Amino acid sequence: MLRSCAARLRPLLVAHGRPGGARLTSTFSFEEVTQKDHALPKPSWSKDLRLLFDQFMKKCEDGSWERLPSCSRHSVQRFQNFTKAFFSGSIPVKEEQISQAKFFPRSFEDGLGFEYAMFWSKDEKRIVCLFQGGLYLQGIPGFLHGGALVTLIDTTLGTHAMLAGGAVMTANLSINFKRPMPLCSVGVINTQLDKIEGRKLFVSCNIQSVDEKTVYTEGTGKKLLLSSCLASSLSLSPSFFFSFVLVYNPHMPINF
Ligand SMILES: CCCCCCCCCCCCCCCC(=O)SCCNC(=O)CCNC(=O)[C@H](O)C(C)(C)COP(=O)(O)OP(=O)(O)OC[C@H]1O[C@@H](n2cnc3c(N)ncnc32)[C@H](O)[C@@H]1OP(=O)(O)O
């Protein structure tokens, strides 16, 4: 069923400058879209998170890394475009709920939930996600809830898979919790694409402390491309990626 969406999606992609995956330039930029970019420093960020963010912004200066913008909502139009492209237009929520829906990791007040920014290395084909887990993400006292870590792992792996292949859903996710991660501390997620088999993308990552001495969590995921026409055009540029995401699914993949 999902594969049959490819034909419907193709003209939409062509309309946005990507005929058959040949051209990867975007027709509009993130800045042209009236969405707040949450992947930028806020007063609630700790000193560690800011320092790391600044280091990665420096790496962006020569173009080898790119910061990935991140918004929290889809417009009703984009929501509908997305469901049209991938789910035959069948809308999973009531129409009046669409404009209230928010991307889960961006749904907390500043500093209380997930604070994160992702960077993409074009050359190394990997994502680094810098994050800080806020006070509302507590599991056992003083430490982050495992589900919160899984959320960020899935989001980061999903972003990587989408940059590598197109719109994806998570089919399978395997997590090893190695050490408890203190609440409000800063973690670094490093991803890699292990292999691609047809529509299946195998991605993995770990979460480390800033000093790289502690590995908190490891994750491996199997992501399923939603459309075979996207699978044929590997290596999206981040700019095209965000055009795509903002048109079909603001911020990124599925809710993404
Ligand atoms: C404003 C907005 C802000 C935006 C901000 C953007 C942020 C951007 C970040 C994005 C990051 C989001 C991260 C969240 C991502 C989710 O949360 S997704 C939600 C959780 N996942 C789901 O709900 C998926 C539910 N499952 C399904 O819909 C379907 O089972 C799937 C996964 C699409 C696969 O269905 P299908 O396409 O019919 O696949 P099917 O033909 O059955 O199988 C294809 C192959 O996959 C394998 N496979 C299928 N299912 C599985 C499985 N569960 N386990 C292992 N293998 C499987 C099959 O064995 C088969 O393998 P082969 O036989 O080809 O070797």
Side-chain angles (χ1 to χ4, degrees):
M1 187 277 283
L2 294 171
R3 278 189 188 117
S4 70
C5 298
R8 203 170 296 116
L9 178 62
R10 191 168 291 112
L12 298 174
L13 285 174
V14 169
H16 284 85
R18 192 145 174 268
R23 199 155 70 89
L24 295 178
T25 52
S26 65
T27 51
F28 63 92
S29 69
F30 183 84
E31 285 70 25
E32 288 165 333
V33 179
T34 53
Q35 291 269 3
K36 181 178 172 193
D37 185 356
H38 291 270
L40 290 169
K42 299 174 189 171
S44 53
W45 283 22
S46 66
K47 195 173 155 211
D48 277 352
L49 186 55
R50 277 168 180 272
L51 279 173
L52 268 180
F53 180 86
D54 290 345
Q55 281 170 20
F56 273 87
M57 287 306 284
K58 272 245 169 298
K59 293 185 186 192
C60 293
E61 284 171 8
D62 66 4
S64 57
W65 285 80
E66 274 190 59
R67 184 184 66 85
L68 302 179
S70 167
C71 53
S72 63
R73 287 180 190 280
H74 308 269
S75 71
V76 173
Q77 186 60 54
R78 288 185 194 121
F79 186 106
Q80 288 169 339
N81 285 347
F82 183 78
T83 54
K84 221 179 271 172
F86 293 111
F87 294 95
S88 309
S90 106
I91 297 180
V93 295
K94 292 187 188 130
E95 201 137 342
E96 62 271 20
Q97 292 173 321
I98 295 176
S99 60
Q100 292 169 33
K102 284 189 100 174
F103 183 55
F104 171 42
R106 293 295 187 197
S107 60
F108 292 83
E109 282 173 46
D110 286 356
L112 295 178
F114 303 95
E115 297 293 350
Y116 64 94
M118 291 185 203
F119 292 84
W120 167 250
S121 165
K122 272 184 234 165
D123 302 335
E124 298 171 37
K125 301 269 183 287
R126 68 187 177 98
I127 285 180
V128 168
C129 174
L130 315 173
F131 75 96
Q132 168 186 312
L135 293 171
Y136 282 13
L137 303 181
Q138 182 170 246
I140 60 168
F143 294 95
L144 282 172
H145 194 291
L149 294 168
V150 173
T151 295
L152 265 190
I153 284 177
D154 196 24
T155 302
T156 311
L157 290 180
T159 302
H160 189 145
M162 190 160 179
L163 279 165
V168 291
M169 279 189 98
T170 305
N172 186 275
L173 197 55
S174 170
I175 303 289
N176 283 323
F177 296 106
K178 312 278 283 185
R179 293 281 179 275
M181 186 168 170
L183 206 55
C184 300
S185 64
V186 173
V188 180
I189 304 178
N190 272 286
T191 66
Q192 64 180 45
L193 175 63
D194 299 320
K195 60 176 174 171
I196 300 177
E197 283 176 6
R199 292 171 55 221
K200 292 176 289 187
L201 286 88
F202 296 80
V203 277
S204 58
C205 70
N206 65 26
I207 301 180
Q208 286 184 310
S209 56
V210 176
D211 63 9
E212 298 181 357
K213 287 186 178 154
T214 308
V215 175
Y216 295 116
T217 310
E218 295 167 338
T220 56
K222 192 192 273 188
K223 306 278 173 181
L224 261 285
L225 283 166
L226 291 181
S227 165
S228 54
C229 79
L230 289 173
S232 66
S233 47
L234 297 177
S235 300
L236 296 187
S237 72
S239 55
F240 173 77
F241 171 69
F242 284 102
S243 299
F244 167 79
V245 158
L246 288 165
V247 169
Y248 299 107
N249 177 353
H251 184 14
M252 309 233 200
I254 277 297
N255 71 30
F256 245 134

Tab-separated table of all heavy atoms in Angstrom, residues 2-3 35 70-74 103 116 118 151 154-159 162 168-172 197 199-200 222-226 241 245 249-256, ligand 1:
chain	number	residue	atom	x	y	z
A	2	LEU	N	1.918	1.209	0.848
A	2	LEU	CA	2.773	2.382	0.943
A	2	LEU	C	3.529	2.623	-0.353
A	2	LEU	O	3.751	3.749	-0.765
A	2	LEU	CB	3.741	2.210	2.116
A	2	LEU	CG	3.067	2.192	3.480
A	2	LEU	CD1	4.041	1.804	4.567
A	2	LEU	CD2	2.454	3.544	3.784
A	3	ARG	N	3.914	1.501	-0.982
A	3	ARG	CA	4.656	1.661	-2.234
A	3	ARG	C	3.823	2.364	-3.291
A	3	ARG	O	4.326	3.125	-4.094
A	3	ARG	CB	5.078	0.286	-2.761
A	3	ARG	CG	6.330	-0.214	-2.087
A	3	ARG	CD	6.841	-1.457	-2.780
A	3	ARG	NE	7.922	-2.016	-2.009
A	3	ARG	CZ	7.880	-3.213	-1.440
A	3	ARG	NH1	6.823	-3.976	-1.584
A	3	ARG	NH2	8.893	-3.647	-0.743
A	35	GLN	N	8.154	29.213	10.564
A	35	GLN	CA	8.212	28.244	11.642
A	35	GLN	C	9.351	28.671	12.556
A	35	GLN	O	10.408	29.056	12.074
A	35	GLN	CB	8.542	26.852	11.082
A	35	GLN	CG	7.457	26.235	10.250
A	35	GLN	CD	6.520	25.385	11.101
A	35	GLN	OE1	6.668	25.311	12.320
A	35	GLN	NE2	5.560	24.764	10.465
A	70	SER	N	14.902	22.856	13.191
A	70	SER	CA	13.918	21.956	13.786
A	70	SER	C	12.708	22.752	14.278
A	70	SER	O	12.848	23.677	15.069
A	70	SER	CB	14.593	21.255	14.978
A	70	SER	OG	13.659	20.597	15.777
A	71	CYS	N	11.544	22.406	13.767
A	71	CYS	CA	10.345	23.117	14.214
A	71	CYS	C	9.398	22.156	14.940
A	71	CYS	O	9.652	20.955	15.035
A	71	CYS	CB	9.661	23.828	13.053
A	71	CYS	SG	9.316	22.787	11.658
A	72	SER	N	8.308	22.695	15.449
A	72	SER	CA	7.494	21.871	16.339
A	72	SER	C	6.120	21.496	15.784
A	72	SER	O	5.449	20.643	16.336
A	72	SER	CB	7.301	22.594	17.676
A	72	SER	OG	6.590	23.783	17.455
A	73	ARG	N	5.717	22.147	14.708
A	73	ARG	CA	4.365	21.894	14.188
A	73	ARG	C	4.365	21.767	12.687
A	73	ARG	O	5.218	22.312	12.006
A	73	ARG	CB	3.452	23.093	14.462
A	73	ARG	CG	3.036	23.280	15.871
A	73	ARG	CD	2.135	24.506	15.947
A	73	ARG	NE	1.891	24.874	17.316
A	73	ARG	CZ	1.004	24.262	18.087
A	73	ARG	NH1	0.291	23.281	17.606
A	73	ARG	NH2	0.862	24.622	19.342
A	74	HIS	N	3.318	21.145	12.197
A	74	HIS	CA	3.026	21.154	10.768
A	74	HIS	C	1.882	22.138	10.548
A	74	HIS	O	0.969	22.193	11.356
A	74	HIS	CB	2.490	19.807	10.289
A	74	HIS	CG	3.339	18.657	10.663
A	74	HIS	ND1	4.330	18.192	9.845
A	74	HIS	CD2	3.337	17.860	11.749
A	74	HIS	CE1	4.909	17.161	10.418
A	74	HIS	NE2	4.337	16.941	11.570
A	103	PHE	N	5.094	18.163	17.405
A	103	PHE	CA	6.134	17.141	17.350
A	103	PHE	C	6.550	16.834	18.787
A	103	PHE	O	6.969	17.729	19.519
A	103	PHE	CB	7.309	17.688	16.533
A	103	PHE	CG	8.422	16.712	16.349
A	103	PHE	CD1	8.192	15.452	15.808
A	103	PHE	CD2	9.713	17.053	16.713
A	103	PHE	CE1	9.225	14.552	15.635
A	103	PHE	CE2	10.757	16.159	16.541
A	103	PHE	CZ	10.512	14.911	16.000
A	116	TYR	N	17.644	20.127	22.182
A	116	TYR	CA	18.631	19.465	21.320
A	116	TYR	C	18.846	20.213	20.022
A	116	TYR	O	17.993	20.988	19.581
A	116	TYR	CB	18.215	18.015	21.020
A	116	TYR	CG	16.934	17.871	20.222
A	116	TYR	CD1	16.974	17.749	18.835
A	116	TYR	CD2	15.692	17.853	20.849
A	116	TYR	CE1	15.808	17.601	18.090
A	116	TYR	CE2	14.523	17.714	20.112
A	116	TYR	CZ	14.588	17.590	18.746
A	116	TYR	OH	13.428	17.455	18.009
A	118	MET	N	20.800	19.226	16.144
A	118	MET	CA	21.499	18.194	15.367
A	118	MET	C	22.396	18.840	14.323
A	118	MET	O	22.046	19.876	13.745
A	118	MET	CB	20.493	17.294	14.647
A	118	MET	CG	19.698	16.420	15.571
A	118	MET	SD	18.661	15.298	14.593
A	118	MET	CE	17.408	14.922	15.815
A	151	THR	N	13.286	8.160	22.804
A	151	THR	CA	12.662	9.166	21.929
A	151	THR	C	13.713	9.929	21.130
A	151	THR	O	13.595	10.105	19.914
A	151	THR	CB	11.835	10.158	22.770
A	151	THR	OG1	10.757	9.446	23.365
A	151	THR	CG2	11.284	11.297	21.938
A	154	ASP	N	15.422	7.601	18.590
A	154	ASP	CA	14.566	7.339	17.422
A	154	ASP	C	14.494	8.572	16.517
A	154	ASP	O	14.534	8.472	15.286
A	154	ASP	CB	13.165	6.937	17.903
A	154	ASP	CG	12.348	6.284	16.801
A	154	ASP	OD1	12.951	5.741	15.846
A	154	ASP	OD2	11.117	6.305	16.881
A	155	THR	N	14.404	9.735	17.144
A	155	THR	CA	14.330	10.975	16.366
A	155	THR	C	15.626	11.198	15.580
A	155	THR	O	15.608	11.568	14.404
A	155	THR	CB	14.069	12.169	17.305
A	155	THR	OG1	12.859	11.916	18.021
A	155	THR	CG2	13.936	13.467	16.544
A	156	THR	N	16.753	10.938	16.240
A	156	THR	CA	18.038	11.181	15.567
A	156	THR	C	18.287	10.133	14.478
A	156	THR	O	18.708	10.458	13.363
A	156	THR	CB	19.189	11.175	16.606
A	156	THR	OG1	18.824	12.028	17.685
A	156	THR	CG2	20.474	11.663	15.991
A	157	LEU	N	18.001	8.877	14.792
A	157	LEU	CA	18.172	7.832	13.770
A	157	LEU	C	17.196	8.053	12.614
A	157	LEU	O	17.531	7.840	11.447
A	157	LEU	CB	17.963	6.442	14.376
A	157	LEU	CG	19.048	5.954	15.351
A	157	LEU	CD1	18.698	4.563	15.880
A	157	LEU	CD2	20.422	5.926	14.682
A	158	GLY	N	15.979	8.500	12.945
A	158	GLY	CA	14.994	8.769	11.896
A	158	GLY	C	15.457	9.903	10.997
A	158	GLY	O	15.290	9.859	9.772
A	159	THR	N	16.058	10.898	11.596
A	159	THR	CA	16.567	12.023	10.815
A	159	THR	C	17.691	11.559	9.892
A	159	THR	O	17.748	11.911	8.710
A	159	THR	CB	17.077	13.127	11.764
A	159	THR	OG1	15.995	13.523	12.604
A	159	THR	CG2	17.584	14.320	10.991
A	162	MET	N	16.289	9.574	7.101
A	162	MET	CA	15.588	10.421	6.131
A	162	MET	C	16.573	11.171	5.248
A	162	MET	O	16.352	11.328	4.046
A	162	MET	CB	14.678	11.395	6.863
A	162	MET	CG	13.775	12.096	5.897
A	162	MET	SD	12.345	12.784	6.693
A	162	MET	CE	11.557	13.535	5.285
A	168	VAL	N	10.710	7.985	6.258
A	168	VAL	CA	10.793	6.647	6.851
A	168	VAL	C	9.848	6.508	8.037
A	168	VAL	O	9.398	7.494	8.617
A	168	VAL	CB	12.227	6.350	7.380
A	168	VAL	CG1	13.217	6.203	6.258
A	168	VAL	CG2	12.668	7.406	8.379
A	169	MET	N	9.571	5.256	8.368
A	169	MET	CA	8.973	4.938	9.667
A	169	MET	C	9.874	3.934	10.354
A	169	MET	O	10.553	3.148	9.700
A	169	MET	CB	7.573	4.346	9.508
A	169	MET	CG	6.512	5.401	9.295
A	169	MET	SD	4.862	4.700	9.380
A	169	MET	CE	4.391	5.067	11.050
A	170	THR	N	9.836	3.962	11.661
A	170	THR	CA	10.630	3.007	12.424
A	170	THR	C	9.907	1.666	12.438
A	170	THR	O	8.773	1.573	12.910
A	170	THR	CB	10.794	3.505	13.871
A	170	THR	OG1	11.342	4.815	13.844
A	170	THR	CG2	11.696	2.568	14.670
A	171	ALA	N	10.575	0.638	11.939
A	171	ALA	CA	10.000	-0.712	12.004
A	171	ALA	C	10.475	-1.404	13.270
A	171	ALA	O	9.736	-2.153	13.901
A	171	ALA	CB	10.395	-1.527	10.778
A	172	ASN	N	11.714	-1.135	13.634
A	172	ASN	CA	12.310	-1.872	14.736
A	172	ASN	C	13.387	-1.028	15.405
A	172	ASN	O	14.127	-0.336	14.732
A	172	ASN	CB	12.926	-3.154	14.151
A	172	ASN	CG	13.441	-4.067	15.235
A	172	ASN	OD1	14.562	-3.903	15.688
A	172	ASN	ND2	12.626	-4.995	15.656
A	197	GLU	N	19.207	-2.130	2.605
A	197	GLU	CA	18.753	-3.294	1.831
A	197	GLU	C	17.386	-2.946	1.269
A	197	GLU	O	16.392	-2.980	2.004
A	197	GLU	CB	18.614	-4.534	2.727
A	197	GLU	CG	19.929	-5.190	3.086
A	197	GLU	CD	19.731	-6.353	4.062
A	197	GLU	OE1	18.562	-6.717	4.378
A	197	GLU	OE2	20.751	-6.882	4.528
A	199	ARG	N	14.264	-1.219	0.729
A	199	ARG	CA	13.611	-0.129	1.471
A	199	ARG	C	14.067	-0.056	2.924
A	199	ARG	O	13.626	0.811	3.668
A	199	ARG	CB	12.089	-0.334	1.470
A	199	ARG	CG	11.425	-0.158	0.112
A	199	ARG	CD	9.970	-0.612	0.200
A	199	ARG	NE	9.252	0.079	1.255
A	199	ARG	CZ	8.369	-0.517	2.080
A	199	ARG	NH1	8.104	-1.803	1.959
A	199	ARG	NH2	7.756	0.171	2.999
A	200	LYS	N	14.916	-0.985	3.336
A	200	LYS	CA	15.300	-1.033	4.757
A	200	LYS	C	16.626	-0.316	4.986
A	200	LYS	O	17.616	-0.616	4.332
A	200	LYS	CB	15.410	-2.488	5.230
A	200	LYS	CG	14.076	-3.196	5.275
A	200	LYS	CD	14.233	-4.651	5.644
A	200	LYS	CE	14.871	-5.424	4.521
A	200	LYS	NZ	14.920	-6.866	4.721
A	222	LYS	N	15.890	-0.241	12.593
A	222	LYS	CA	15.578	-0.565	11.204
A	222	LYS	C	14.469	0.385	10.776
A	222	LYS	O	13.411	0.432	11.383
A	222	LYS	CB	15.090	-2.012	11.103
A	222	LYS	CG	15.017	-2.522	9.673
A	222	LYS	CD	14.261	-3.836	9.598
A	222	LYS	CE	15.151	-5.029	9.833
A	222	LYS	NZ	14.414	-6.309	9.569
A	223	LYS	N	14.765	1.172	9.741
A	223	LYS	CA	13.802	2.161	9.254
A	223	LYS	C	13.318	1.722	7.880
A	223	LYS	O	14.103	1.288	7.049
A	223	LYS	CB	14.467	3.535	9.113
A	223	LYS	CG	15.154	4.025	10.380
A	223	LYS	CD	14.186	4.652	11.326
A	223	LYS	CE	14.831	4.994	12.660
A	223	LYS	NZ	13.908	5.589	13.597
A	224	LEU	N	12.021	1.843	7.675
A	224	LEU	CA	11.433	1.448	6.395
A	224	LEU	C	11.077	2.675	5.588
A	224	LEU	O	10.338	3.536	6.075
A	224	LEU	CB	10.165	0.624	6.641
A	224	LEU	CG	10.246	-0.910	6.561
A	224	LEU	CD1	10.327	-1.373	5.135
A	224	LEU	CD2	11.400	-1.442	7.371
A	225	LEU	N	11.642	2.776	4.397
A	225	LEU	CA	11.267	3.888	3.520
A	225	LEU	C	9.808	3.771	3.143
A	225	LEU	O	9.326	2.683	2.824
A	225	LEU	CB	12.123	3.857	2.244
A	225	LEU	CG	13.551	4.370	2.399
A	225	LEU	CD1	14.381	3.985	1.193
A	225	LEU	CD2	13.552	5.874	2.591
A	226	LEU	N	9.144	4.907	3.143
A	226	LEU	CA	7.720	4.892	2.845
A	226	LEU	C	7.429	4.931	1.360
A	226	LEU	O	6.320	4.721	0.939
A	226	LEU	CB	7.038	6.094	3.511
A	226	LEU	CG	6.971	6.025	5.026
A	226	LEU	CD1	6.251	7.236	5.579
A	226	LEU	CD2	6.260	4.762	5.487
A	241	PHE	N	16.380	18.220	1.895
A	241	PHE	CA	15.724	17.471	2.955
A	241	PHE	C	14.707	18.338	3.686
A	241	PHE	O	13.562	17.952	3.899
A	241	PHE	CB	16.804	16.988	3.913
A	241	PHE	CG	16.300	16.370	5.179
A	241	PHE	CD1	15.660	15.157	5.154
A	241	PHE	CD2	16.510	16.996	6.386
A	241	PHE	CE1	15.221	14.573	6.329
A	241	PHE	CE2	16.080	16.418	7.560
A	241	PHE	CZ	15.434	15.211	7.526
A	245	VAL	N	10.849	18.063	3.930
A	245	VAL	CA	10.238	17.897	5.231
A	245	VAL	C	9.192	18.972	5.503
A	245	VAL	O	8.116	18.707	6.010
A	245	VAL	CB	11.337	17.947	6.304
A	245	VAL	CG1	10.781	18.321	7.643
A	245	VAL	CG2	12.021	16.600	6.382
A	249	ASN	N	6.023	17.317	5.707
A	249	ASN	CA	6.028	16.933	7.078
A	249	ASN	C	6.958	17.874	7.802
A	249	ASN	O	8.112	17.556	7.968
A	249	ASN	CB	6.486	15.490	7.108
A	249	ASN	CG	6.606	14.988	8.480
A	249	ASN	OD1	6.468	15.747	9.415
A	249	ASN	ND2	6.869	13.747	8.612
A	250	PRO	N	6.504	19.021	8.206
A	250	PRO	CA	7.350	20.073	8.742
A	250	PRO	C	8.304	19.540	9.794
A	250	PRO	O	7.881	18.889	10.705
A	250	PRO	CB	6.387	21.048	9.373
A	250	PRO	CG	5.055	20.494	9.187
A	250	PRO	CD	5.118	19.278	8.347
A	251	HIS	N	9.510	19.881	9.692
A	251	HIS	CA	10.607	19.446	10.524
A	251	HIS	C	11.171	18.154	9.985
A	251	HIS	O	12.330	18.090	9.725
A	251	HIS	CB	10.194	19.287	11.974
A	251	HIS	CG	11.345	18.928	12.855
A	251	HIS	ND1	12.655	19.025	12.489
A	251	HIS	CD2	11.355	18.467	14.116
A	251	HIS	CE1	13.415	18.656	13.481
A	251	HIS	NE2	12.667	18.314	14.477
A	252	MET	N	10.457	17.107	9.884
A	252	MET	CA	11.020	15.936	9.267
A	252	MET	C	10.009	14.875	8.939
A	252	MET	O	8.933	15.175	8.527
A	252	MET	CB	12.087	15.349	10.125
A	252	MET	CG	13.061	16.393	10.510
A	252	MET	SD	14.683	15.920	10.135
A	252	MET	CE	15.568	16.981	11.167
A	253	PRO	N	10.397	13.591	9.200
A	253	PRO	CA	9.613	12.491	8.677
A	253	PRO	C	8.166	12.498	9.077
A	253	PRO	O	7.475	13.435	8.881
A	253	PRO	CB	10.264	11.256	9.239
A	253	PRO	CG	11.578	11.676	9.693
A	253	PRO	CD	11.511	13.147	9.950
A	254	ILE	N	7.810	11.429	9.653
A	254	ILE	CA	6.421	11.157	9.839
A	254	ILE	C	5.724	12.125	10.722
A	254	ILE	O	4.613	12.471	10.512
A	254	ILE	CB	6.258	9.768	10.432
A	254	ILE	CG1	6.319	8.809	9.325
A	254	ILE	CG2	4.952	9.646	11.134
A	254	ILE	CD1	5.280	8.955	8.380
A	255	ASN	N	6.224	12.505	11.741
A	255	ASN	CA	5.402	13.467	12.414
A	255	ASN	C	6.178	14.702	12.352
A	255	ASN	O	5.729	15.709	12.734
A	255	ASN	CB	5.188	13.093	13.822
A	255	ASN	CG	6.429	13.277	14.534
A	255	ASN	OD1	7.198	14.110	14.191
A	255	ASN	ND2	6.596	12.521	15.515
A	256	PHE	N	7.487	14.153	11.933
A	256	PHE	CA	8.674	14.713	11.711
A	256	PHE	C	8.329	15.479	11.007
A	256	PHE	O	9.163	16.096	11.195
A	256	PHE	CB	9.563	14.658	10.873
A	256	PHE	CG	10.656	14.456	10.331
A	256	PHE	CD1	11.017	14.092	9.564
A	256	PHE	CD2	11.704	14.657	10.420
A	256	PHE	CE1	12.296	13.875	8.977
A	256	PHE	CE2	12.929	14.424	9.787
A	256	PHE	CZ	13.113	14.066	9.160
B	1	LIG	C1	6.497	20.061	12.796
B	1	LIG	C2	6.941	18.762	12.786
B	1	LIG	C3	8.177	18.548	13.362
B	1	LIG	C4	8.873	17.542	12.611
B	1	LIG	C5	10.011	17.044	13.249
B	1	LIG	C6	10.732	16.133	12.371
B	1	LIG	C7	11.730	15.407	13.093
B	1	LIG	C8	12.273	14.387	12.283
B	1	LIG	C9	12.636	13.267	13.050
B	1	LIG	C10	12.004	12.112	12.526
B	1	LIG	C11	12.159	11.043	13.408
B	1	LIG	C12	10.849	10.569	13.801
B	1	LIG	C13	11.081	9.385	14.597
B	1	LIG	C14	9.802	8.827	14.936
B	1	LIG	C15	9.524	7.708	14.031
B	1	LIG	C16	8.361	6.988	14.409
B	1	LIG	O1	7.922	7.220	15.613
B	1	LIG	S1	7.550	6.059	13.427
B	1	LIG	C17	6.270	5.484	14.480
B	1	LIG	C18	6.565	4.139	14.982
B	1	LIG	N1	6.518	3.212	13.900
B	1	LIG	C19	5.370	2.796	13.394
B	1	LIG	O2	4.288	3.181	13.808
B	1	LIG	C20	5.479	1.834	12.270
B	1	LIG	C21	4.276	0.905	12.239
B	1	LIG	N2	4.573	-0.118	11.258
B	1	LIG	C22	4.230	0.066	9.961
B	1	LIG	O3	3.577	1.034	9.592
B	1	LIG	C23	4.674	-0.947	9.001
B	1	LIG	O4	4.837	-2.188	9.673
B	1	LIG	C24	6.013	-0.573	8.306
B	1	LIG	C25	7.143	-0.360	9.314
B	1	LIG	C26	5.839	0.724	7.508
B	1	LIG	C27	6.416	-1.675	7.382
B	1	LIG	O5	5.283	-2.041	6.637
B	1	LIG	P1	5.408	-2.370	5.096
B	1	LIG	O6	5.910	-1.173	4.373
B	1	LIG	O7	4.130	-2.946	4.668
B	1	LIG	O8	6.595	-3.420	5.148
B	1	LIG	P2	6.558	-4.948	4.731
B	1	LIG	O9	6.364	-5.011	3.247
B	1	LIG	O10	5.676	-5.736	5.632
B	1	LIG	O11	8.060	-5.355	5.092
B	1	LIG	C28	9.150	-4.803	4.360
B	1	LIG	C29	10.415	-5.368	4.961
B	1	LIG	O12	10.599	-4.814	6.257
B	1	LIG	C30	10.673	-5.838	7.251
B	1	LIG	N3	9.915	-5.420	8.418
B	1	LIG	C31	8.669	-4.933	8.435
B	1	LIG	N4	8.297	-4.652	9.688
B	1	LIG	C32	9.337	-4.997	10.472
B	1	LIG	C33	9.552	-4.952	11.866
B	1	LIG	N5	8.643	-4.496	12.707
B	1	LIG	N6	10.750	-5.375	12.336
B	1	LIG	C34	11.698	-5.816	11.502
B	1	LIG	N7	11.550	-5.874	10.160
B	1	LIG	C35	10.373	-5.469	9.660
B	1	LIG	C36	9.998	-7.052	6.628
B	1	LIG	O13	10.494	-8.233	7.170
B	1	LIG	C37	10.365	-6.873	5.171
B	1	LIG	O14	11.687	-7.351	4.981
B	1	LIG	P3	12.056	-8.160	3.640
B	1	LIG	O15	11.078	-9.287	3.566
B	1	LIG	O16	11.877	-7.163	2.518
B	1	LIG	O17	13.474	-8.584	3.858
